[in-house]
Every structure is written in C-alpha cells, then in structure tokens.
Amino acid sequence: DCEDMQCLNWTSTSEAVATAVQRVAGMLQRSDQLDKVEQYRRREARKKASVEARLKAAIQSQLDGVRTGLTQLHNALCDVKDIQNSLADVSKDWRQSINTIENLKDVKDAVVQHSQLASAVENLKNIFSVPEIVRETHDLIEQGELLQAHRKLMDLECSRDDLMYEQYRMDSKNVHDMNLIRGYFGQVQGLSEELSKQLWMVLQRAMVTVRRDPTMLVSVVRIIEREEKIDRKMLDRKKQTGFIPPGRPKCWKNRMNEVLEGTVSARIESTQSETRESDKMWLVRLLEITRKYVLDDLTVVKNLMVQCFPPHYNTFQVFFDLYHKSVSARVQELAAEDLEANEIVSLLTWVLNTYKSVDMMGHPDLQPECDVKQLEPLLPQHVVDDLLGKYLKTFTSNITGWLRKALETDKKDWQKETEPEADQDGYYQTTLPAIAFQMFEQNLQVAAQINETFKEQVLRVCLKQMNSFLVRYREEAINYKEEHLKDRQLPQCYVQYMIAIINNCQTFKESINSLKRKYSQSTEPTQNDAAIDKLLNEVAREGCQFLLDEVFLDLEHHLNALLTRKWLTGSHAVDTICVTVEDYFNDFAKIKKPYNQEMTSKAHRRVVVEYLKAIMQKRISFKNADERKEGADRMMKEAEQFKFLFRKLSGEDTDRLCDAIAAIAEVFKLTDPALLYLEVSTLVSKYPDIREEHIVALLAVRGDASRDMRQMIIETLNQNKPSTSSVSQPVFRDITVPSNTMTAMTSMTVPKLLK
C-alpha cells in the first residue's frame, strides 16, 4: 500500500511538473519576457499561498463537523441506555402492581356509589319538587312565557337524565329502577310535547308574529337552539357510554323546518278563493293573489324575520326555496287540471314570464339576496309542452267555430235590405274581416306573452285556418249568387254586398300581411301564404264575374237588338247599354283596387265581344249600298260611344277593342267590291286572331259578295297567313260563329286561324 501511495504521489508530482513547464514555456516565448521573470514568480507565489489557505480552511471545517457528529452520537448512545433502564424499572413496577389493582375493586365500587349518591343529593331538591315544577312549567306554557317554561323543563330533564345515567352506570340491566325513575318523571315528556306544540303554533304564524311580537319568535328559535345543543351532547355521550335519555334526540330543528314548509305550503294553497263555476277569471285571481302573497312574505322575511334567526340558518334562502317549492307544486297541480284554453295561457304566461319578472321574484326589494337565474323551472318542460299542445288543439277547434259563426252572421247581413257600411274611403265592406282578425290578434297577443316560438306556432295555425275558411267563404259567395239568380229581385242589395265580399278579400290580404309583419320574424313566403293569396284572388275575381253577369243579364235584351232591322231603322239599344253600364259602375266604383280596374277592363272587353258576336250571328244582311253605309255609320258612332264610356270609367286608352267595331264598319261601308279584299286584308292585319268563319260571316252580313269573291278572298288570305304569336290582346279568339252562317264553300269541320 505504501508503495502504491508513493507511486501515486510521484505520478501526481510528475503531472504537476509537466504542467508547470508548459505554463513557463508559454510565458517565456519571447526574449523581452525574461525581464518579467521575477514578476511572474511573485504572482505564482501569491496564487500558491491563496490555494493553500483555502485548502487548510476546508480541511479544518470538515474536522470540526466530524468532531461534533461524534459527540452527538456518544450522547445519543447514553440516552438510549438510560431509556432502556427506565423501561425495565416500569415493567418491574407494573408486574408488582397487578395484584394491588385487583385488591382496589371495592374502592372502585364505592366511588361509583358515591357518584350516584352525589348526583342524587345534587338533584334532591328537584326530585322532591318535581310535581310543583311541573305545575309551574305548565302555567308558564299557558301564559306564553315559553323561554322560562323551557328553562324549568331543562332542569327537570337534566335531573331525570342524570339519575337514569347513574343508574345505567351502576346496573344497566336493572329495568325496574329505570322504570321507577321514568315513571316518577313521567309528566316531563308531556310538558315537552306541550311546549313543542306552542313552538309550532308560533312558527305557523311566523309571518304575523314577526310583525307584532318578534321577541316571541326569537324565544322560539333560542329554545330550538338549546335543544339542538342538548341533542348533540346526548348523542356524543351515547357514543361513549351507550346511554341515551328517553325522548332524545328531539330533532326540533328538523321539525321546525317541516312546520315552516307546511306553513308556506298552506299559505300558497289558501290563495284559491274562487272556482271556475263562480268566477270565469278564477285562475287569474289565484295567480295574482299568489304573486302578492309570495312577494309580501319574502319581503317580510328579508327585512324582519332574518333578524330573528342565527346567521348560519341562512333564513332568507331557506324561505326562498320553500316558497319556490310550494309554488312549483301548486302550479303543477293546476297544470294537471282540465284547464280551458285561456286558462292555459294565463298559467303559462305567469309561470314563464311573471314569476321571474320584477313583479315577483325579481322584485328590487328582494335583491341582491334573490337570484332568479338560479331558480329551477316551476314546470318541467314536458308539462309545458303538453299544455302548449293542448292549447293549440283547443285553439284550432275554437278558431274554426268562431270563423264559422262569423261567416254565418255575415251571411245574414247579405240578406239585409240596407246597403253595407263603407270604410273611410267609401268602399263597401262587412264586419267579417275585422271580427276574424280581431280574434287572431287577441290570440297572438296572448301567445306572444308566452314566448316567440309559441307565437309563431299560433300564427301558423291562424293562417292555416284562414285557408280553410276562405274555401267555405268562396262556396258561400257562389251559393249567394245562385240563390240570387233564382229571383233577381232578392236580395235587394245583392250588388252592394257582392262588392263588399270582393273588398273583404283585399282587406283579408292587408290584415294577413299586417299580422305577419307584427308577429312573425320570418319574411320568407310559405306555401300556405301562396294558397291563401290564390284563394283570395279567386274569390274576388269570381265576385267580379258575378257582378258582370248581373250587368249583362240586364243588357241581354238590348244586346239581342243589335245588328237587326230595327237597329238599322233606328234603335236606342247602345244608348241604353251605355247608361246601364254607367249606372252599375257607379256602384262598382266602391270596389277596391286592383279589382275595380280589372272589373272595368273585363266589362269593356265583354261589351265589345258581345257587339262583335251580334255581327257574327248574321241578324241582318244589308240589301244595298245605302243600308251598308247607314249600318257602318251607326257602328262607328256606337264604337265612339263605347270608347267615351270606358275612357270615362277607367281613365285609360280604350281604342283597340272599340276599333275592331270601326274596322268591321269600314268593311261594310266600302262601295267598290273590287277593293273588298284589300279592306279585309287590313282588318286581318290589325286583328290576326280573326278566323275564316269570321270573314265569311262578315261577307254574309255585307250582302253583296258573290260566291266566287268570297272563295277568292278566303284563298288569298290563307296564302298570306299573318302571325298570331305577337297578339297581346286577342279580340276574336272567343267569338264563335253559328254554323248556319257558313256557306257550303267555306264550312269546315274545325275552325282554323288565318295564319
């Protein structure tokens, strides 16, 4: 080992020498550095001294630590030896004292007996005065001195419990002595029950008591707190000894909570003072009373009752939860009843809106203790959905009945001998649209109180029922017309009420659009909207057609007189037609736009078409040029009369239709038959929808066209077929020519257009 150490030292020294040589060689690489050798030497000497000093300090510190550790180990060893000796002495003493402890059993029994006797002596005064204390306690309870009564009751219970506990300690199996003590204090349990009844009575009237005598409520709470403290003490002793006095634990705090819950529940139940049979608004009254009771009571709890209870009772939150629970139970009972539609809406509006609003649980007087955001819903969602579904079903049935009754009432008005009322613009109308949409408006306002989704559902039901209603409305309008045709004298105001029916369609349109703007967030038209719009247009246009039919029934005789011999010699048929049409249109002026404009256009077209039909029916065949000239002049004059009339009625250009009469008159007026083809060609170019049979009829009325001329004109026109694709207002399309006007040369199985 010594050789190894020497070898190791020599190796370390060699390495140090080699390192030093390298450092010196690095310092003295140039000749001018030799002058600094002494300086280098002193610097290295200082470094060496510094390193040696640090090394010595480190070694000294380690030596001091080792010395301290050795001293502590020595002291610990001495302590361990002392402890071993002490444990040996304790073990020896314990073995010697076992016999002594067994000999002290008699002393132990004497101590227990002494404790029992001491307890008996201590309670001796109470034991002898139990009957008197019971009477005093009973009197105090009757006098309402509950705090003093409870103090005496505690003294009695304490004496009884201590005696029973000592007896239990001495002999837990001695049932006889236990029963003896329980029997002697038998009235104590009755006093406890009597006192508790008084406590519960005070708590049941807590809302009144806290206003009139808050000290009484405070006393009740103090008594309950005392009993809770005694309960905890007795339960702790039971864990240690197994003994529990009779009647413990009383759990009066739990009972207090039950009483308060029952009181709140009874308070909510007492809000119903009316039934549906005695008052149709019974539910609204019930809900309003409930709202007022809950708000008033919680305000009292916050401002007064909280001060009567310890802070850890969290009184306001307890009452807040109790009222919420009771109200929830009550509204669920109401929801389970057979509610009518308006009652369902009243209940849901109250539950979903009023309950959490500033009028009730969100009232400023209850803030900030009351957080409505934390409240659970009063009704489960499935109950709300069931009620909404029931309402929609009932509402659908009701709205159908209401609309049916409204229509029946309107139908009775149609038979009146007085004209219908007019609106502020002078248009005839009935009350049907106002009644129908007043019903819709009322129900939508109610639905809007519940939520947006339900409002949209009710609106869809309204529009769907409106669609069905309009089908019946159309049928009744047709029946009205059919009944009138059986006796055109009845009803007297048929025209005026038919105008009102037409105007109602426009009112329905405007009302529907108003409802959608007001109650629907969607602006997209639906399939139902299109169906309603189509039905309304059909009812209005059919009504216009019925009125035109009425006009032309009156004109039928005068129209039949056109283009006859009597007409040629002098007739006032057209004058009468114009007067009659103008008279009717004085009433038709009370038709709303756009139907009044359509009405005028249809009347204009129909008058002209009927006139042209009279020409095509060959009621007259002119015998000579004078008759043709006279007839043509009359036709031109009458065409001007029609132009003037309908320009007056519509305020628009009416020339094209009436010009067809004038164009035909030009064909009749022509004196040179050789030019007849050119005149007919002009007519065909103006009215491309004119057909071959029309030309044949015109030539037949003219009376001077030979068979060959007619055939030549027809064949030439067929070779120069004008196009009918660009005809915007066909005039002759709907005019048929009786077959007896067709000659053998031109009669065809199927009429064809000149094209």
Side-chain angles (χ1 to χ4, degrees), residues 383-429:
V383 176
V384 174
D385 293 340
D386 290 345
L387 287 174
L388 292 177
K390 181 179 178 182
Y391 174 83
L392 285 175
K393 183 178 179 181
T394 306
F395 169 68
T396 302
S397 175
N398 288 346
I399 207 73
T400 303
W402 293 334
L403 290 173
R404 184 182 296 111
K405 290 179 181 178
L407 182 54
E408 290 299 323
T409 303
D410 208 54
K411 283 169 56 182
K412 291 179 181 177
D413 291 343
W414 298 350
Q415 307 299 326
K416 288 182 177 179
E417 297 179 358
T418 56
E419 293 183 355
E421 296 179 357
D423 63 12
Q424 65 272 19
D425 296 320
Y427 297 119
Y428 285 139
Q429 64 178 7

Side-chain angles (χ1 to χ4, degrees), residues 3 15 59 96-97 127 202 251 537 583 636 676:
E3 291 178 356
E15 292 177 353
I59 292 173
Q96 292 176 355
S97 64
I127 291 173
V202 172
C251 301
N537 286 332
D583 181 57
M636 288 182 176
L676 190 57

